[in-house]
Amino acid sequence: MTTGIVWFRQDLRLTDNPALSAACRQCDHLLCIFIDDPAERTVSQLGSASRAWLHHSLASLQISLQQKGGDLLFAQGKSLSVLENLIDSSGATRIFWNRCYDPDTIKRDKLIKSTLHALEPQTFNGLLVLEPWENLKGDGTAYRVYTPYWRAAARQLDDEPQRLKIARAPRVLSTPKALTGQSLRGCVTLQQLQLLPTEQWHDAMMANWKVGESAARLQLDRFLKRAVDDYGTGRNLPAIAGTSQLSPHLHYGEISPRQVLHRLLRGRALSQLTGGEETFAKEIVWREFAYSLIYHFPHTIDKPLDERFRAFKWASGTAQHLKAWQQGRTGVPIVDAGMRELYATGWMHNRVRMIVASYLIKNLLIRWQSGERWFRDTLVDADIASNAMGWQWTAGSGADAAPFFRVFNPVLQGEKFDQQGAYVKRWVPELVSVAPKFIHKPWELPAHERDLIDYPAPLVDLKQTRLRALDAFSAIKGTK
Ligand SMILES: Cc1cc2nc3c(=O)[nH]c(=O)nc-3n(C[C@H](O)[C@H](O)[C@H](O)COP(=O)(O)OP(=O)(O)OC[C@H]3O[C@@H](n4cnc5c(N)ncnc54)[C@H](O)[C@@H]3O)c2cc1C
């Protein structure tokens, strides 16, 4: 009888899970485990919102495994020690997991792989369509520009359609009674992992979401049926449900990008897609590009890729401004709407993420790392790769970034993408009675109307701060 361990990480699903499939093929009994490792800066060390999601996602995965005759064990502590304990107490002779690509996890996994070499650990690609070393430039180096990255990825996937083949969920799993739950040394219950924050705010946040593998698949189906055709325009309008909202599901691997592309393509080639479908496929590949960047340029998680930005003169004494931004009290309606949506739901529309990030970096002149940290703590989809790339893109300091001198004007952005102010009014109810003409610049309301509204005056002058940012940028422009 062969017993194998399946170590779940960012792959909380049964379908298209190559580590689980291999374990089912090779072993008679399986021990499935999730380890929370507070001392290691890996996936479970993301922020409070993301950990709340993780709690529910693990609960859902445990039920799915139990329905198949298996179970999910939980442990807290150093991953290596937990796995060694588990091997000792269960007699497991094989171990399987799907790979992650952030530098801290890679380092930890390498150590575990070499320490457990007697079991010949088997690792797989469950998180991406193309792993970071599978889509490189002709000279073998990593892409820094997205468009050629996308073209090469699309060509490769069209040439090798088997890459989008989906492995079915196992029909039955077997975990011997003696090897379940807390009977194994070091195992605890999901509740004992204490992933849920102690304060109750997360209940209201999570009420916006359905978590888990089945919910992810339903969400994808709904999006493909209702919104993908108009995605090209719909994805820019924060007042409507024009995007897939798959990001937290993808982050924790409740659904894989392979499954998403497989369902989108329905047997077609990527090169045959047009309109909203093509734009959506490109967004899925942006996520792959983000992982390629942190794999090949690991320091970009918290340092600028463009070295000149190390000398950038950020504003000082900005604690109050940072707080106002976090709390949605900047006096700029679309920025405040975004920050309040984030706090209430754990998610923010991509267009608005770019606007609030630009406002923090360029109008408040606060370093992007402060915004990145806040997003990491408050997003349910907080993802080391996409978050760092999004912030560096906006700051102008990353790969294929927007040029620094392109400063988003939040008023014009609001007028273009939230014309009637429906999004602002949903999240900033103080402005519900303001006419569309003034909804994105209430400071221009006639004085008698402005006095009736309980909404802060703008924290900073948008024009002056734009010029200040451009000045600060000129100081580093010619440097190397
Ligand atoms: C400052 C900033 C921070 C960000 N932080 C994160 C983060 O922590 N986690 C995260 O998943 N995304 C992040 N993004 C990217 C993007 O905003 C979200 O992926 C998107 O809003 C999620 O909503 P959706 O699932 O409806 O996306 P859709 O528009 O439906 O796109 C489908 C999927 O494609 C991927 N995707 C879409 N846009 C991007 C992008 N620009 N970069 C990378 N992947 C993308 C996501 O996995 C997304 O779920 C950030 C963007 C910015 C500007």
Side-chain angles (χ1 to χ4, degrees):
M1 285 285 177
T2 311
T3 300
I5 294 173
V6 182
W7 181 15
F8 280 89
R9 300 119 60 93
Q10 266 181 280
D11 51 353
L12 308 183
R13 64 179 183 275
L14 302 193
T15 305
D16 192 40
N17 187 324
L20 180 64
S21 298
C24 288
R25 276 194 306 273
Q26 296 177 32
C27 306
D28 305 293
H29 297 311
L30 291 193
L31 285 174
C32 298
I33 187 155
F34 179 86
I35 306 169
D36 182 36
D37 47 5
E40 297 166 5
R41 198 181 140 206
T42 53
V43 58
S44 59
Q45 292 318 300
L46 292 162
S48 322
S50 176
R51 279 170 75 80
W53 183 288
L54 177 60
H55 172 94
H56 294 285
S57 192
L58 289 170
S60 164
L61 178 66
Q62 188 177 42
I63 292 171
S64 304
L65 287 165
Q66 285 169 346
Q67 283 167 347
K68 304 268 180 184
D71 200 358
L72 182 62
L73 308 174
F74 303 102
Q76 202 155 41
K78 247 181 149 359
S79 304
L80 177 58
S81 321
V82 169
L83 292 172
E84 284 176 324
N85 263 334
L86 195 60
I87 292 163
D88 276 356
S89 53
S90 67
T93 52
R94 298 201 181 167
I95 181 160
F96 307 81
W97 68 78
N98 292 313
R99 292 183 279 273
C100 297
Y101 307 93
D102 59 283
D104 290 315
T105 309
I106 290 175
K107 197 164 139 206
R108 181 199 65 186
D109 289 354
K110 268 192 182 154
L111 173 72
I112 294 178
K113 214 168 170 182
S114 66
T115 314
L116 301 182
H117 64 93
L119 277 75
E120 297 179 8
Q122 298 177 49
T123 69
F124 303 85
N125 171 17
L127 190 62
L128 299 173
V129 178
L130 292 171
E131 295 190 281
W133 50 88
E134 290 183 314
N135 189 19
L136 296 172
K137 288 198 286 189
D139 63 4
T141 60
Y143 285 101
R144 283 170 170 244
V145 179
Y146 176 71
T147 304
Y149 178 91
W150 151 255
R151 281 205 202 104
R155 215 176 308 122
Q156 203 175 145
L157 294 176
D158 282 352
D159 288 349
E160 301 168 26
Q162 71 278 10
R163 282 186 179 276
L164 295 179
K165 241 179 118 186
I166 305 301
R168 289 207 180 143
R171 266 188 294 159
V172 277
L173 297 165
S174 159
T175 307
K177 275 274 166 295
L179 296 184
T180 54
Q182 295 156 73
S183 55
L184 281 161
R185 191 151 32 102
C187 287
V188 297
T189 62
L190 174 60
Q191 280 65 28
Q192 285 170 317
L193 291 186
Q194 296 183 321
L195 295 169
L196 291 174
T198 36
E199 294 130 42
Q200 272 311 308
W201 58 266
H202 57 88
D203 281 346
M205 178 189 78
M206 291 308 298
N208 295 286
W209 299 97
K210 292 209 169 17
V211 182
E213 183 171 3
S214 313
R217 277 216 295 267
L218 274 177
Q219 181 67 19
L220 173 63
D221 286 349
R222 208 174 299 132
F223 169 73
L224 292 179
K225 210 153 128 198
R226 294 187 196 158
V228 74
D229 291 339
D230 296 329
Y231 180 73
T233 42
R235 77 194 182 107
N236 276 314
L237 308 177
I240 65 164
T243 69
S244 70
Q245 298 211 319
L246 281 172
S247 48
H249 300 288
L250 279 164
H251 172 74
Y252 278 119
E254 294 170 1
I255 193 164
S256 70
R258 261 194 303 258
Q259 287 172 284
V260 174
L261 288 185
H262 179 87
R263 287 278 292 113
L264 175 72
L265 288 170
R266 297 191 315 275
R268 294 169 296 172
L270 272 166
S271 52
Q272 290 175 293
L273 298 182
T274 54
E277 288 185 323
E278 184 189 19
T279 311
F280 182 63
K282 283 185 176 167
E283 293 305 323
I284 296 295
V285 174
W286 263 107
R287 175 177 174 275
E288 307 260 321
F289 184 53
Y291 275 97
S292 173
L293 290 178
I294 58 158
Y295 180 80
H296 293 289
F297 309 103
H299 65 283
T300 59
I301 285 176
D302 49 18
K303 294 191 184 57
L305 182 67
D306 182 339
E307 300 262 322
R308 294 173 305 172
F309 278 84
R310 292 186 183 212
F312 192 84
K313 284 256 171 301
W314 300 102
S316 54
T318 49
Q320 289 308 319
H321 281 184
L322 178 63
K323 201 163 197 176
W325 176 81
Q326 290 170 338
Q327 294 179 341
R329 290 188 294 101
T330 66
V332 180
I334 194 135
V335 172
D336 292 344
M339 298 309 293
R340 295 184 196 185
E341 177 182 32
L342 172 62
Y343 203 74
T345 68
W347 185 87
M348 192 197 298
H349 190 278
N350 181 59
R351 167 66 44 190
V352 190
R353 289 188 203 204
M354 294 191 286
I355 298 171
V356 304
S358 173
Y359 179 82
L360 184 83
I361 298 166
K362 296 176 185 177
N363 294 105
L364 299 184
L365 220 58
I366 294 179
R367 56 180 70 243
W368 62 265
Q369 289 92 334
S370 303
E372 191 273 342
R373 219 171 301 130
W374 182 251
F375 269 29
R376 207 181 330 139
D377 195 29
T378 50
L379 279 171
V380 285
D381 66 22
D383 182 274
I384 289 177
S386 298
N387 202 23
M389 182 180 73
W391 279 95
Q392 296 235 36
W393 183 90
T394 315
S397 63
D400 201 7
F404 187 89
F405 56 79
R406 197 174 298 152
V407 180
F408 276 64
N409 179 325
V411 176
L412 298 182
Q413 288 283 316
E415 288 174 347
K416 189 163 175 195
F417 297 113
D418 185 35
Q419 271 177 16
Q420 298 303 310
Y423 176 73
V424 161
K425 289 182 183 186
R426 186 181 309 151
W427 295 107
V428 189
E430 303 95 294
L431 298 177
V432 80
S433 59
V434 174
K437 186 175 170 205
F438 294 108
I439 189 74
H440 294 290
K441 43 184 179 193
W443 52 88
E444 287 189 8
L445 276 166
H448 66 278
E449 284 184 50
R450 203 173 50 223
D451 291 346
L452 296 176
I453 292 168
D454 182 19
Y455 182 67
L459 211 54
V460 294
D461 181 278
L462 294 174
K463 281 196 193 120
Q464 277 171 14
T465 50
R466 175 176 174 276
L467 294 175
R468 179 180 64 156
L470 294 180
D471 275 352
F473 180 62
S474 322
I476 61 157
K477 206 158 64 177
T479 60
K480 253 277 163 228

